[in-house]
Amino acid sequence: MQPYDSGETMHGWARDLFAVPRSLTGPGVRATLDYLAGLLPGLQRHAVASGTAAFDWTAPDEWTVREAYIETPGGERICRFADDPLHLMGYSHAVNAELDLADLQAHLYSRPDLPEAIPYVTSYYARNWGFCLKHSERKALEPGRYKVVIDADLQPGRLDYADLVLPGRTSREILISTYICHPSMANNELSGPVVAAALARWWAGAPRTHTARFVFVPETIGSIVYLSRHLEHLRRHLAAGFVLSCIGDERAYSMVQTARADTLADRAARLALASLSEAPVLYSYLHRGSDERQYASPGAGLPVVSLSRSKYGAYPEYHTSLDDLENVVTPDGLAGGFELARRAVSAVEANKVWRPVFPCEPQMGKRGLYGQISTGRLETSHANRMHFLAYCDGRDFIDVCTATGLSPSEGAAIADQLHAAELITATPDP
Amino acid sequence: MQPYDSGETMHGWARDLFAVPRSLTGPGVRATLDYLAGLLPGLQRHAVASGTAAFDWTAPDEWTVREAYIETPGGERICRFADDPLHLMGYSHAVNAELDLADLQAHLYSRPDLPEAIPYVTSYYARNWGFCLKHSERKALEPGRYKVVIDADLQPGRLDYADLVLPGRTSREILISTYICHPSMANNELSGPVVAAALARWWAGAPRTHTARFVFVPETIGSIVYLSRHLEHLRRHLAAGFVLSCIGDERAYSMVQTARADTLADRAARLALASLSEAPVLYSYLHRGSDERQYASPGAGLPVVSLSRSKYGAYPEYHTSLDDLENVVTPDGLAGGFELARRAVSAVEANKVWRPVFPCEPQMGKRGLYGQISTGRLETSHANRMHFLAYCDGRDFIDVCTATGLSPSEGAAIADQLHAAELITATPDP
Amino acid sequence: MQPYDSGETMHGWARDLFAVPRSLTGPGVRATLDYLAGLLPGLQRHAVASGTAAFDWTAPDEWTVREAYIETPGGERICRFADDPLHLMGYSHAVNAELDLADLQAHLYSRPDLPEAIPYVTSYYARNWGFCLKHSERKALEPGRYKVVIDADLQPGRLDYADLVLPGRTSREILISTYICHPSMANNELSGPVVAAALARWWAGAPRTHTARFVFVPETIGSIVYLSRHLEHLRRHLAAGFVLSCIGDERAYSMVQTARADTLADRAARLALASLSEAPVLYSYLHRGSDERQYASPGAGLPVVSLSRSKYGAYPEYHTSLDDLENVVTPDGLAGGFELARRAVSAVEANKVWRPVFPCEPQMGKRGLYGQISTGRLETSHANRMHFLAYCDGRDFIDVCTATGLSPSEGAAIADQLHAAELITATPDP
């Protein structure tokens, strides 16, 4: 079996990328894609110019920050972008001004419920500026005149993204999409790209029935731009897609299903989840929030679900500086997230309709696939094989595994064994 | 928005109608329809002669009561029809006789479990006579000779009913049917006609997509006669129908579903109920009992359900003199019943298949339909709008509202807003 | 109504058959079929030669045991086949040898968890020999030399089975299949043949719409041989089939459903179970274990379920000498098993799509099928009749009974009554 990058390796990549000041656009995105290109030979870089139309949207201006801080009446520089890009509201325009504290307050963001967290705030599509800081620090601000410096450009440039297509034996595709637009946060940013990268590295070396397509885009506008260029292709070729988001902590295994919850992606993801957790969280499409909002929208209509460990909004550190690589995202958490994604794509890879060769049960004993002495109880491995066969009644591999309680890899091993023994045949590849 | 008649107004109509001695046929029915005609301009009066065939039935003879009472051995007149028409078994034939108490007992009806209630008893299709009285009074009857006087006609006449058709933009119809055949009872009689009248008065002044058809008939034989004359028309044109019965108390919101529970009427009623109650009572067709027995019978096959507050049989005062306008049916109860019916028909009115204009989400921010500063949580009104859009995947309006937890009016307001913003388009009217 | 054989009668047959040393093949099977032929005039005997191919299988050699025992160092003969055929592992080959206890142990089978039970062990398809004994006796064996005598033949012969076809009004068939291959055990052997025999005797004297087919085969290989000769016929003609297994104790009513749980056999069996038990056990196909494994396999694809009281594996005495006619299988248990099977086949026999003659309800009162005086409550018998009619909306008899909570016999009586009154008509027989 193709070896995997370990949870420690993925965690190391996330540490390397943590401080890069990402946003929808700009040098932070490019630096992140540069790093991923180093991990993923063949990664294709793309860009569209600011103002490019994509359905109802246009690519935004590019944002570049050189420096940003607030200087207190006492001359101390706080909320320094250089210390943590979360301090600056995303897409803040340039400012160089002095204000009284009362006026400054209208531009400050903090979380009274999480006083030690710097919140993450953006204003992509309305011209604005602001700073984010710990509520404990905000309360300590003294009255007086404050100097605000935001040395930033917000002007036509480009929106960067990348993809990697690994051709398979067929033109049917499996999509993995993740985002590269959040500053220094771990679960709700870096877990997605590093798990996607590890998955691409594993899969690049493994046999592929489906063509694999990995997409790294800024969230929302990036997937919309991507769809504006690839929707017809994906409608024709996509078998199933998985958005990876918040997939690096250890507290849950979850997914966001499509509105009808019945696509191949839904079924594969549920099977993968059931094999990893006794209590996976199956969110309905009402709980969508990442790029499954675009791919699986009724207008696009693609079979795409999201895979998560603790989903956005479902863990207390979400959208704050507390979403870090120490307490939230761990090597074990990433390894589990990788395994979830790997099992989901493996389920789609293995999916076909197997039919038994013989009416009735075959005689397994003469093939060494059954106990020879009957005492009325069957070994689990023998029982699982018989269960698999007994449910090959026209339903596909994923439904057989779901009905019989087999994980995708257990099911695939059994299918291989039964196929090698000439006991099942597959319908042609889709 | 078109104003409604208040619960107090409806309660006043019910008080006006309470003492009218209704039965399947006769002057009480006509007086009731006279009163409704005063509320409903355009109400059409109809009649069929006694003996007219309707499927397996024939319209019964007409029943007219001039006087009825029992005279005790002491000369007291009790069970006077003039005091309460419930005292006389419905469709009793004329009697003028003297009997011993023991013989009289075979013709008396009381409720040992409700000793202060006069029960409601009829014998429409078997020649008989009887009196109904409080069990406490029955027990006090002294032995001796009793004189029984029933001065009544039971002879060929007519069966009266009425309907009101309010043309809509299309020929697809919504049916509201209720009954006008029970004597002095409130929930299981007057709640239906007064809520139906208020609904017709509101809807007459509101825009209508569907043609509205209001039907006032004696229960069972009346709806059978009505169907014998309109079945083919209704099979062709009926979108959904609602029988109003026992819709004026404050203790529950309920419905009787069709046998398959999957018609447009079922879905609209469930949506309306869910918007009014956290624990609506969804009765199966096993619990049918009013004219949904005819409209939704397998032979008729129309999409008709019943709407109730506390359904017949589900409240202790049912079919007795305790079903009154003081303790059972109230202005608030009627207002709630009206609202249930109004929401059900509004759901059908608003029902169409909306489709999004854009693949992917539209950019709501530039239309002022989304928060401009993202902190990771969405306002409910924005979220509801996005949910509505996200579920416009081919399902109809009612199913979108059901899936997203929106009431019919919330859903309709969102649909209007999205349609005005050119973000959704509707499939053609059915 | 055709009289039934009583539970006592069935229990007597089982006592007669208990000591017959059955196996897959050989004189015990023939003796068992001889006895059944005495109960079932017209039973057809069949045989295939050892080595005959059946799909992936071949009929095994025939096994004949003349004598088998172990002689202890003290000269005592234990594990005598003549005392209980369970003592000898099924299909043991001939042995005449002396061994030390340590070597003998590899050929002994006992149940430490049930020290007073002789377990049932076979090795049909791998050449082997062994003895089964109580664990309490095994522990008492002294070291020393043991003599082992198995005077048995395992050589080409034949595999016996039998069937009985009772022609019906149509060529659509109902299959009852059971097995005749286990030695002295009661629930997991004799309950099936005796209930099947009683069912055939009852049904032979009753009118039949369907053709009834009763099959008595050794389990697994027998049903596979049977299918190898009748599969195309059954695919064309079989309406529903029921395997009878472990159907004679008093502790449960249960069934094994097909993989999709939606065939006519599934529905009929569930209806029969619901009419007999408030908590029937509905096993999924994952819990299959008798010949429904062959009939309902995806390759055969026949609508066949199993009916049981306490299913194989679901009672502690299973596959041991404790599965007896005293503590496990009783006359009442067999009578209940018979009733389960009878109700299931009766449901299939009665199954058709009834449609009401009239739109709307018919007037039941004029036919004496309804109370004449209405007090607001309907008698159960009247209500059941109206429920039956109200659900004749295209669903078949079994679904009508299931929806209305009627047993097959209650439903059939109502259907007869409504049909006689010309209130329903049936679609043509299938």
Side-chain angles (χ1 to χ4, degrees):
Chain A
M1 186 183 282
Q2 177 70 11
Y4 313 152
D5 292 303
S6 71
E8 286 292 355
T9 300
M10 287 185 270
H11 202 255
W13 299 339
R15 283 196 304 272
D16 291 345
L17 287 164
F18 196 78
V20 177
R22 278 167 297 275
S23 183
L24 284 194
T25 58
V29 175
R30 283 188 288 275
T32 300
L33 293 175
D34 289 345
Y35 185 93
L36 292 171
L39 299 175
L40 300 173
L43 184 73
Q44 299 292 309
R45 307 287 292 268
H46 308 278
V48 296
S50 298
T52 302
F55 303 125
D56 191 39
W57 300 68
T58 51
D61 280 349
E62 185 170 324
W63 189 50
T64 307
V65 182
R66 277 172 298 273
E67 184 177 36
Y69 59 85
I70 297 169
E71 195 172 294
T72 65
E76 187 191 2
R77 290 188 175 181
I78 63 168
C79 293
R80 286 161 38 101
F81 183 77
D83 290 339
D84 190 333
L86 287 172
H87 278 308
L88 184 61
M89 172 196 272
Y91 267 61
S92 286
H93 61 70
V95 174
N96 194 325
E98 278 196 24
L99 312 82
D100 281 332
L101 176 59
D103 295 326
L104 178 63
Q105 289 288 9
H107 292 271
L108 296 185
Y109 298 88
S110 63
R111 287 273 296 266
D113 59 324
L114 288 175
E116 296 308 307
I118 307 168
Y120 170 56
V121 178
T122 63
S123 181
Y124 293 139
Y125 298 100
R127 187 175 162 78
N128 207 332
W129 66 270
F131 283 88
C132 305
L133 70 170
K134 297 180 182 178
H135 196 67
S136 60
E137 294 183 354
R138 183 180 185 172
K139 287 195 299 183
L141 295 179
E142 311 249 329
R145 295 292 281 178
Y146 284 74
K147 185 174 169 197
V148 171
V149 172
I150 303 177
D151 179 9
D153 292 335
L154 192 48
Q155 56 191 29
R158 66 199 221 205
L159 179 144
D160 293 274
Y161 63 97
D163 62 9
L164 171 64
V165 176
L166 303 171
R169 201 155 50 72
T170 75
S171 65
R172 296 288 291 164
E173 291 193 4
I174 298 175
L175 169 75
I176 301 291
S177 180
T178 193
Y179 46 83
I180 38 85
C181 61
H182 294 74
S184 307
M185 290 179 293
N187 202 31
N188 185 33
E189 171 57 35
L190 291 167
S191 67
V194 304
V195 168
L199 194 71
R201 285 158 61 91
W202 159 72
W203 210 358
R208 286 180 303 280
T209 295
H210 292 79
T211 293
R213 176 179 295 266
F214 288 83
V215 173
F216 300 86
V217 283
E219 208 176 18
T220 304
I221 183 64
S223 56
I224 291 169
V225 164
Y226 198 84
L227 279 170
S228 75
R229 306 198 147 197
H230 297 279
L231 180 56
E232 286 317 310
H233 175 86
L234 290 171
R235 279 184 175 152
R236 251 198 318 281
H237 296 291
L238 190 65
F242 304 95
V243 169
L244 307 189
S245 165
C246 302
I247 193 162
D249 74 319
E250 299 179 25
R251 291 172 285 193
Y253 283 100
S254 66
M255 72 177 290
V256 177
Q257 301 172 96
T258 66
R260 291 186 187 265
D262 61 357
T263 70
L264 179 55
D266 289 279
R267 295 189 297 119
R270 285 194 298 261
L271 178 63
L273 283 166
S275 74
L276 280 167
S277 167
E278 300 217 334
V281 186
L282 304 180
Y283 292 105
S284 84
Y285 200 54
L286 290 176
H287 297 268
R288 72 202 177 284
S290 186
D291 284 331
E292 77 287 346
R293 285 159 45 206
Q294 314 310 329
Y295 294 116
S297 69
L302 298 174
V304 177
V305 299
S306 276
L307 302 178
S308 296
R309 297 217 50 178
S310 293
K311 191 181 75 81
Y312 40 84
Y315 60 100
E317 305 88 350
Y318 170 67
H319 262 204
T320 75
S321 58
L322 303 181
D323 182 353
D324 63 21
L325 286 166
E326 287 73 43
N327 298 307
V328 176
V329 168
T330 63
D332 280 355
L334 291 166
F338 171 85
E339 191 58 21
L340 172 59
R342 197 190 65 79
R343 292 188 186 192
V345 301
S346 298
V348 178
E349 277 282 272
N351 202 42
K352 49 184 82 184
V353 176
W354 292 103
R355 298 301 312 232
V357 167
F358 295 106
C360 308
E361 293 178 349
Q363 192 183 352
M364 305 304 268
K366 70 184 184 191
R367 296 179 170 85
L369 301 176
Y370 207 81
Q372 292 289 11
I373 297 174
S374 165
T375 58
R377 306 272 167 192
L378 209 52
E379 275 182 42
T380 300
S381 66
H382 297 156
N384 283 344
R385 210 151 34 219
M386 299 311 286
H387 287 334
F388 190 96
L389 264 172
Y391 279 77
C392 283
D393 60 355
R395 68 187 89 197
D396 66 17
F397 171 84
I398 289 174
D399 281 355
V400 172
C401 291
T402 300
T404 56
L406 296 169
S407 73
S409 60
E410 289 169 333
I414 288 174
D416 285 349
Q417 196 175 37
L418 294 174
H419 190 221
E422 298 186 355
L423 295 174
I424 55 175
T425 54
T427 55
D429 282 342
Chain B
M1 186 183 283
Q2 178 71 10
Y4 313 152
D5 292 302
S6 70
E8 286 293 355
T9 299
M10 287 185 269
H11 202 255
W13 300 338
R15 282 195 306 270
D16 292 344
L17 287 164
F18 196 78
V20 177
R22 278 166 297 274
S23 183
L24 285 193
T25 58
V29 175
R30 284 188 287 276
T32 300
L33 294 176
D34 289 344
Y35 185 92
L36 292 171
L39 300 175
L40 300 172
L43 184 73
Q44 300 293 309
R45 306 287 291 270
H46 308 278
V48 296
S50 299
T52 303
F55 303 125
D56 192 38
W57 301 67
T58 51
D61 281 349
E62 185 170 325
W63 188 51
T64 308
V65 181
R66 279 172 296 274
E67 184 177 36
Y69 59 86
I70 297 170
E71 196 173 295
T72 66
E76 187 192 1
R77 291 189 176 182
I78 62 168
C79 292
R80 286 162 38 101
F81 183 78
D83 290 339
D84 191 331
L86 287 172
H87 278 308
L88 184 61
M89 173 197 271
Y91 267 60
S92 288
H93 60 72
V95 174
N96 194 323
E98 278 195 25
L99 311 83
D100 282 332
L101 177 59
D103 295 327
L104 178 62
Q105 289 288 9
H107 293 270
L108 297 186
Y109 297 87
S110 64
R111 287 272 297 263
D113 60 323
L114 288 175
E116 296 307 307
I118 306 168
Y120 170 57
V121 178
T122 63
S123 181
Y124 294 139
Y125 297 100
R127 188 175 160 79
N128 208 332
W129 66 269
F131 283 89
C132 306
L133 70 170
K134 297 180 183 178
H135 196 67
S136 60
E137 295 183 353
R138 183 179 185 174
K139 286 195 300 181
L141 295 180
E142 312 249 329
R145 295 292 282 178
Y146 285 75
K147 185 173 169 198
V148 171
V149 173
I150 303 177
D151 179 10
D153 293 333
L154 191 51
Q155 55 191 28
R158 65 198 221 207
L159 180 145
D160 295 273
Y161 63 97
D163 63 8
L164 171 64
V165 176
L166 303 171
R169 202 155 48 70
T170 76
S171 64
R172 296 287 292 163
E173 291 194 3
I174 297 174
L175 169 75
I176 302 291
S177 180
T178 193
Y179 46 84
I180 38 85
C181 60
H182 293 73
S184 307
M185 292 179 290
N187 201 33
N188 184 33
E189 171 56 35
L190 292 166
S191 66
V194 304
V195 168
L199 195 72
R201 286 157 61 91
W202 159 71
W203 211 356
R208 286 180 303 281
T209 295
H210 292 78
T211 292
R213 176 180 295 266
F214 288 83
V215 173
F216 300 87
V217 283
E219 208 176 18
T220 304
I221 183 64
S223 56
I224 291 169
V225 164
Y226 199 84
L227 280 170
S228 74
R229 307 197 147 199
H230 298 280
L231 180 56
E232 286 317 309
H233 175 88
L234 291 172
R235 279 184 174 149
R236 253 199 316 281
H237 296 292
L238 190 66
F242 305 94
V243 170
L244 308 188
S245 165
C246 301
I247 193 162
D249 74 318
E250 300 179 26
R251 292 172 284 194
Y253 283 100
S254 66
M255 73 177 290
V256 177
Q257 301 172 96
T258 65
R260 292 186 186 264
D262 61 357
T263 70
L264 179 55
D266 290 280
R267 296 191 293 120
R270 285 194 297 261
L271 178 63
L273 283 167
S275 75
L276 279 167
S277 167
E278 300 217 332
V281 187
L282 304 180
Y283 292 105
S284 84
Y285 199 54
L286 290 177
H287 297 268
R288 72 203 177 282
S290 186
D291 285 331
E292 77 287 345
R293 286 159 44 207
Q294 314 310 330
Y295 295 116
S297 69
L302 298 174
V304 177
V305 299
S306 277
L307 303 178
S308 296
R309 298 218 48 178
S310 293
K311 190 181 75 81
Y312 40 84
Y315 60 100
E317 303 88 351
Y318 170 66
H319 263 203
T320 75
S321 58
L322 303 182
D323 182 353
D324 64 19
L325 286 165
E326 288 71 45
N327 298 306
V328 176
V329 167
T330 63
D332 281 355
L334 291 166
F338 171 85
E339 192 59 21
L340 172 59
R342 197 190 64 79
R343 291 188 189 193
V345 301
S346 297
V348 179
E349 277 283 272
N351 202 43
K352 48 183 85 184
V353 176
W354 292 104
R355 298 300 314 232
V357 167
F358 294 107
C360 309
E361 293 177 349
Q363 192 182 351
M364 305 304 269
K366 70 185 183 190
R367 295 179 171 85
L369 301 176
Y370 207 82
Q372 293 288 11
I373 296 174
S374 166
T375 59
R377 307 270 167 190
L378 208 51
E379 275 182 43
T380 300
S381 66
H382 296 157
N384 283 345
R385 209 150 37 218
M386 299 311 286
H387 288 335
F388 189 97
L389 263 173
Y391 279 77
C392 283
D393 59 357
R395 70 188 88 197
D396 66 17
F397 171 84
I398 289 174
D399 281 354
V400 172
C401 290
T402 300
T404 56
L406 296 168
S407 74
S409 60
E410 289 168 334
I414 288 174
D416 286 349
Q417 196 175 38
L418 294 174
H419 190 222
E422 298 185 354
L423 295 174
I424 56 175
T425 56
T427 55
D429 282 341
Chain C
M1 188 182 282
Q2 178 70 11
Y4 313 152
D5 292 302
S6 70
E8 286 293 354
T9 299
M10 287 185 270
H11 202 254
W13 300 338
R15 282 196 304 270
D16 292 344
L17 287 164
F18 196 77
V20 177
R22 279 167 295 275
S23 183
L24 285 193
T25 58
V29 175
R30 283 189 287 275
T32 300
L33 294 175
D34 290 344
Y35 185 92
L36 292 170
L39 299 175
L40 301 173
L43 184 73
Q44 300 292 309
R45 307 287 292 268
H46 309 277
V48 296
S50 299
T52 304
F55 303 127
D56 192 39
W57 300 67
T58 52
D61 281 348
E62 185 171 324
W63 188 51
T64 307
V65 182
R66 279 172 297 272
E67 184 177 35
Y69 59 85
I70 297 170
E71 196 174 294
T72 65
E76 187 192 1
R77 290 189 176 181
I78 62 169
C79 292
R80 285 162 39 102
F81 183 75
D83 290 340
D84 191 332
L86 287 172
H87 278 308
L88 185 62
M89 173 196 271
Y91 267 61
S92 287
H93 61 70
V95 175
N96 194 323
E98 279 196 24
L99 311 83
D100 282 334
L101 177 59
D103 295 327
L104 178 63
Q105 289 287 9
H107 292 272
L108 298 185
Y109 298 87
S110 63
R111 287 273 298 264
D113 59 325
L114 288 176
E116 296 308 307
I118 306 168
Y120 171 56
V121 178
T122 63
S123 181
Y124 294 138
Y125 298 101
R127 188 175 160 78
N128 208 331
W129 67 270
F131 283 89
C132 306
L133 70 170
K134 296 181 184 179
H135 197 67
S136 59
E137 295 183 353
R138 182 180 186 173
K139 284 194 302 181
L141 295 179
E142 310 249 327
R145 295 292 283 178
Y146 284 75
K147 186 173 167 197
V148 171
V149 173
I150 304 177
D151 179 9
D153 292 335
L154 192 50
Q155 54 191 29
R158 65 198 221 205
L159 180 144
D160 294 274
Y161 63 96
D163 62 8
L164 170 65
V165 176
L166 303 172
R169 202 157 48 71
T170 75
S171 65
R172 296 288 291 165
E173 291 193 6
I174 298 175
L175 169 75
I176 301 291
S177 181
T178 193
Y179 46 84
I180 37 84
C181 59
H182 293 75
S184 306
M185 291 180 291
N187 201 33
N188 185 34
E189 171 57 36
L190 292 166
S191 66
V194 304
V195 168
L199 195 70
R201 285 158 60 91
W202 158 71
W203 210 357
R208 287 180 302 281
T209 295
H210 293 78
T211 292
R213 177 180 295 265
F214 288 83
V215 174
F216 300 87
V217 284
E219 208 176 17
T220 305
I221 182 64
S223 57
I224 291 168
V225 165
Y226 199 84
L227 280 170
S228 74
R229 306 196 146 198
H230 298 279
L231 180 56
E232 286 316 310
H233 175 88
L234 291 171
R235 277 184 177 150
R236 251 198 317 280
H237 296 291
L238 189 66
F242 304 94
V243 170
L244 307 188
S245 165
C246 302
I247 193 161
D249 74 318
E250 299 179 26
R251 290 172 286 194
Y253 283 100
S254 66
M255 72 176 290
V256 177
Q257 302 172 98
T258 66
R260 292 185 186 265
D262 61 356
T263 71
L264 179 54
D266 290 279
R267 294 190 296 119
R270 284 193 298 261
L271 178 63
L273 284 166
S275 75
L276 280 167
S277 167
E278 300 217 333
V281 186
L282 304 180
Y283 292 104
S284 85
Y285 200 55
L286 290 176
H287 297 268
R288 72 202 178 283
S290 186
D291 283 332
E292 77 287 346
R293 285 157 46 206
Q294 313 310 330
Y295 294 116
S297 68
L302 298 173
V304 177
V305 299
S306 277
L307 302 178
S308 297
R309 298 215 51 176
S310 293
K311 192 180 74 83
Y312 41 83
Y315 60 101
E317 304 88 351
Y318 170 67
H319 262 204
T320 75
S321 58
L322 302 181
D323 182 351
D324 62 20
L325 287 166
E326 287 73 45
N327 298 306
V328 176
V329 167
T330 63
D332 280 355
L334 291 165
F338 172 85
E339 192 58 22
L340 172 59
R342 198 190 64 79
R343 293 189 187 192
V345 301
S346 298
V348 178
E349 276 283 272
N351 202 42
K352 49 184 83 184
V353 176
W354 292 104
R355 297 300 314 231
V357 167
F358 295 107
C360 309
E361 294 178 348
Q363 192 182 353
M364 305 304 268
K366 71 184 183 192
R367 296 179 172 85
L369 301 176
Y370 206 82
Q372 293 287 13
I373 296 174
S374 166
T375 58
R377 306 271 166 191
L378 209 51
E379 275 181 42
T380 301
S381 66
H382 297 157
N384 283 345
R385 211 151 34 221
M386 300 311 286
H387 287 334
F388 189 96
L389 264 172
Y391 279 77
C392 284
D393 60 356
R395 68 187 87 196
D396 66 17
F397 171 84
I398 289 175
D399 281 355
V400 172
C401 290
T402 300
T404 56
L406 296 169
S407 73
S409 59
E410 289 169 333
I414 288 173
D416 286 348
Q417 196 175 39
L418 294 174
H419 189 222
E422 298 186 354
L423 295 174
I424 55 175
T425 55
T427 55
D429 282 342

